[in-house]
Amino acid sequence: MKLSALNPQCLSLAAVLLLGPTGSLIPFAAKAAIQGPVCHGTLLQLNLRESGKSQTESFRFNLRLEAKASNSVAALEQFSGRLARLREALEPLVIGKLVIPAPTTHSTGGSAQSKGNQASTSITGTVGRSNYDSLIERAGGLEGVRLQGMTSLPSAEGQDRLQDQLLERALERGRRQAERTAVALKLRRVALLRIDQRSHSTARPSPMSVSGAPRFRPEEAPLPKASLSLALDYCLN
């Protein structure tokens, strides 16, 4: 029976059954409809992957702040002083707020003369292109601070635009490959039955050293990367 032949009450019930969450009771006929059209010919399954880069809008940085003293109380006191100076130097440059977890303390090994306690934490934040170089220089001039890496971040619009471009490229590749396969098999018709899309953004920090470094340019930083995986089913006949 077609859904169009049902009265409004039955149609509403059918819609609820079709849209119900996983594990709900869905009639067998409804399941068949959800699975999509059946191929009455040769089924061609393609798995494609496209990747690309987008322009950088901002950078996420990762700092390591450490302080060492003869005991944990002194180490934490030194840590607090260094953290205050870090906030004063970097907060005017960052977008939003610094993320500063509570410090951890541990004993440092070595000889009896070099034994002590260390307090440390990792600090993250975001900086715009215009403050990229200033943040690196200021972080490098702070005692107990180590810049562990900078990650290029795209704008939301740039990321969406790149994903659209990757999707178009993958679909075009799939269509051409399906058409070539149909010609090789001496078939005439190519129909797209199913699309399964997976998108991935790649954000890998770039380790950096700030000691004796020249001026840093944001345009020289690695660009944000993204990739898209597409599974396509074609029916050839």
Side-chain angles (χ1 to χ4, degrees):
M1 184 189 304
K2 296 182 179 179
L3 290 180
S4 58
L6 299 175
N7 59 42
Q9 291 80 5
C10 291
L11 187 59
S12 298
L13 177 59
V16 171
L17 291 172
L18 284 171
L19 298 176
T22 303
S24 61
L25 295 177
I26 300 179
F28 177 79
K31 288 185 179 180
I34 293 173
Q35 290 173 355
V38 177
C39 178
H40 298 289
T42 300
L43 179 63
L44 174 65
Q45 296 181 315
L46 301 177
N47 291 296
L48 306 172
R49 183 179 178 87
E50 292 285 344
S51 60
K53 300 177 181 180
S54 58
Q55 293 301 311
T56 302
E57 182 181 72
S58 58
F59 298 88
R60 183 171 59 246
F61 59 86
N62 190 330
L63 305 173
R64 183 75 175 173
L65 177 60
E66 299 176 343
K68 183 179 178 181
S70 58
N71 56 70
S72 59
V73 173
L76 286 171
E77 184 177 352
Q78 186 185 85
F79 177 91
S80 297
R82 291 181 176 181
L83 178 58
R85 289 188 289 275
L86 181 146
R87 284 193 175 112
E88 182 180 359
L90 301 188
E91 281 184 344
L93 303 178
V94 302
I95 300 171
K97 296 182 179 181
L98 293 169
V99 179
I100 308 175
T104 59
T105 60
H106 65 274
S107 299
T108 57
S111 63
Q113 291 80 8
S114 63
K115 283 186 177 179
N117 282 265
Q118 180 174 287
S120 61
T121 192
S122 293
I123 300 172
T124 58
T126 304
V127 65
R129 290 175 59 91
S130 60
N131 288 323
Y132 175 82
D133 180 62
S134 298
L135 182 130
I136 295 174
E137 290 185 344
R138 291 192 187 185
L142 293 170
E143 188 175 5
V145 175
R146 185 169 72 252
L147 180 57
Q148 295 183 306
M150 299 280 275
T151 303
S152 303
L153 302 175
S155 65
E157 295 79 6
Q159 187 71 9
D160 290 343
R161 184 163 54 250
L162 177 59
Q163 288 295 333
D164 290 342
Q165 293 170 355
L166 297 180
L167 178 59
E168 290 177 4
R169 280 159 47 183
L171 289 173
E172 178 63 19
R173 277 183 56 203
R175 184 188 61 80
R176 291 199 305 266
Q177 188 168 340
E179 289 175 349
R180 288 196 299 267
T181 304
V183 171
L185 296 175
K186 302 187 185 310
L187 300 173
R188 296 183 178 181
R189 296 181 59 189
V190 174
L192 178 60
L193 301 182
R194 184 183 68 93
I195 300 176
D196 185 10
Q197 177 180 336
R198 298 285 186 272
S199 300
H200 310 278
S201 297
T202 303
R204 295 180 180 175
S206 302
M208 310 184 75
S209 172
V210 295
S211 57
R215 184 173 181 83
F216 292 93
R217 299 183 178 92
E219 63 271 14
E220 294 176 347
L223 294 175
K225 297 180 181 179
S227 63
L228 179 143
S229 298
L230 211 59
L232 303 175
D233 287 357
Y234 285 92
C235 186
L236 313 180
N237 52 33

